Amino acid sequence: MTIFLAILLVAAMIATVVALVRGVVSFLQATEADLKGTGPSVASTRSNKMMQARIFFQALAIMIVVLILFVSGRT
């Protein structure tokens, strides 16, 4: 059971890093014209979505860590 949770934790951590990198890359692709235009640009919308995904994956990783600690009896 703990090995399965450890694998899930690693997957959540990798997903967090991937979402972070994709969000930063999307943020860097925003041009000055996009920033001065009216309304949100495609790059900024994509960056916001990836940062929201990063927060979700971080919360998931924290919940898995708590679950691992609970299962192993160290709470």
Side-chain angles (χ1 to χ4, degrees):
M1 177 75 168
T2 307
I3 294 186
F4 175 71
L5 290 174
I7 292 170
L8 283 179
L9 178 61
V10 170
M13 291 167 45
I14 290 171
T16 301
V17 171
V18 169
L20 174 65
V21 170
R22 288 185 65 189
V24 169
V25 168
S26 294
F27 175 74
L28 293 175
Q29 288 177 345
T31 63
E32 186 176 342
D34 289 337
L35 297 176
K36 290 184 179 180
T38 58
S41 68
V42 174
S44 65
T45 302
R46 187 178 315 127
S47 177
N48 285 339
K49 293 289 184 188
M50 291 313 301
M51 290 302 149
Q52 289 172 357
R54 177 189 59 84
I55 292 170
F56 170 76
F57 290 130
Q58 276 181 312
L60 184 65
I62 291 170
M63 288 190 303
I64 293 170
V65 167
V66 169
L67 190 59
I68 288 172
L69 291 174
F70 185 73
V71 168
S72 67
R74 296 183 190 160
T75 56

